[in-house]
C-alpha cells in the first residue's frame, strides 16, 4: 500500500472506519445492544424474545431442580434434608430475584458486597431468570438505569460544550519567547 491510502490496484479507498461521534456513548445492554436508545433495530422483538427465553430457561431450571429433588428422594436421605434443600433454593431464589430486580434500577452501592452475594445468586438462579422475565414487560432489563445515566452524561457534555468559547485545538499557537 502506498502512503496516500490507495489500494494495491490503484483505486482510492474511502475511510475504513466511520468517524467516532462526539459526546458520551450509550452503554449496550445484553441482548439489546444500543437499540434501547431509540427503540429501533427490532427492539420489540428482542424484548419478546428475551421474555420467552428467560421464562423457558426458568421452566427448564425448575425441571432440573425437580429431578435433583427426586434423586434425593430415591437416595432416601430423610425428610429433614429434603426440606432444607427446598428451603435453601426458595430463599436463595427470593434473594436473587430481589437483588436482580434492584440491579435493574440502580447501581450497587457496595460492589464488594454484591461480589459476596454472587454464590447465593448462582444458587437462586431461578429467581434471577424470573426477575429478567418480569422486567421485560416494562422495558429492556436495565434500560431505565442506563437511560438516566446516558441522559445525565449527555446533559453534562452539552453544558461543557456550551461553556467553551471555541475549540481550543483550533487556536493559533503563539511564538515562544527565548
Amino acid at each position: 500500500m502506498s502512503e496516500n491510502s490507495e489500494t494495491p490496484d490503484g483505486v482510492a479507498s474511502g475511510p475504513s472506519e466511520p468517524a467516532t461521534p462526539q459526546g458520551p456513548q450509550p452503554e449496550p445492554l445484553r441482548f439489546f445492544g444500543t437499540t434501547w436508545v431509540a427503540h429501533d433495530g427490532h427492539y420489540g422483538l428482542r424484548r419478546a424474545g428475551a421474555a420467552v427465553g428467560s421464562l423457558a430457561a426458568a421452566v427448564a431450571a425448575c425441571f432440573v431442580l425437580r429431578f435433583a429433588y427426586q434423586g434425593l428422594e430415591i437416595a432416601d436421605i430423610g425428610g429433614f434434608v429434603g426440606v432444607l434443600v427446598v428451603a435453601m433454593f426458595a430463599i436463595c431464589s427470593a434473594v436473587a430475584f430481589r437483588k436482580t430486580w434492584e440491579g435493574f434500577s440502580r447501581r450497587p452501592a457496595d460492589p464488594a458486597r454484591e461480589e459476596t452475594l454472587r454464590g447465593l445468586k448462582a444458587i437462586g438462579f431461578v429467581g434471577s431468570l424470573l426477575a429478567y422475565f418480569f422486567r421485560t414487560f416494562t422495558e429492556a432489563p436495565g434500560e431505565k438505569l442506563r437511560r438516566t445515566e446516558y441522559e445525565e452524561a449527555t446533559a453534562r457534555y452539552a453544558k461543557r460544550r456550551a461553556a467553551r468559547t471555541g475549540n481550543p485545538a483550533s487556536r493559533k499557537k503563539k511564538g515562544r519567547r527565548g
Side-chain angles (χ1 to χ4, degrees):
M1 237 183 194
S2 65
E3 291 179 9
N4 61 1
S5 298
E6 291 183 351
T7 57
D9 59 356
V11 179
S13 62
S16 60
E17 295 179 23
T20 305
Q22 298 287 329
Q25 300 302 310
E27 187 177 345
L29 291 172
R30 180 179 293 153
F31 306 122
F32 295 93
T34 56
T35 61
W36 61 268
V37 177
H39 292 184
D40 59 352
H42 305 293
Y43 173 80
L45 289 174
R46 289 177 189 231
R47 270 188 44 199
V52 169
S54 60
L55 183 62
V59 168
C62 287
F63 278 118
V64 169
L65 291 176
R66 178 178 170 230
F67 294 139
Y69 184 77
Q70 285 177 344
L72 291 175
E73 285 182 344
I74 291 170
D76 196 27
I77 57 172
F80 181 69
V81 174
V83 169
L84 284 178
V85 168
V86 169
M88 176 198 59
F89 276 108
I91 291 169
C92 290
S93 290
V95 170
F97 181 92
R98 181 171 175 243
K99 289 297 181 182
T100 303
W101 192 266
E102 288 174 355
F104 293 144
S105 59
R106 63 182 164 88
R107 299 273 183 189
D110 185 12
R113 184 164 188 265
E114 289 296 315
E115 186 63 31
T116 60
L117 292 175
R118 185 182 225 171
L120 188 126
K121 288 167 86 175
I123 293 170
F125 62 99
V126 174
S128 293
L129 289 169
L130 289 175
Y132 203 86
F133 169 71
F134 288 121
R135 192 58 166 211
T136 55
F137 287 124
T138 57
E139 66 177 7
E143 177 182 348
K144 184 177 180 181
L145 171 67
R146 303 284 178 18
R147 185 173 302 283
T148 303
E149 291 174 348
Y150 177 63
E151 287 173 353
E152 288 172 358
T154 304
R156 282 192 309 270
Y157 177 77
K159 186 177 178 180
R160 279 194 320 264
R161 293 290 291 175
R164 293 183 182 170
T165 57
N167 186 353
S170 66
R171 291 184 188 158
K172 292 185 179 180
K173 295 181 181 177
K174 296 182 181 181
R176 286 189 179 180
R177 291 186 188 173

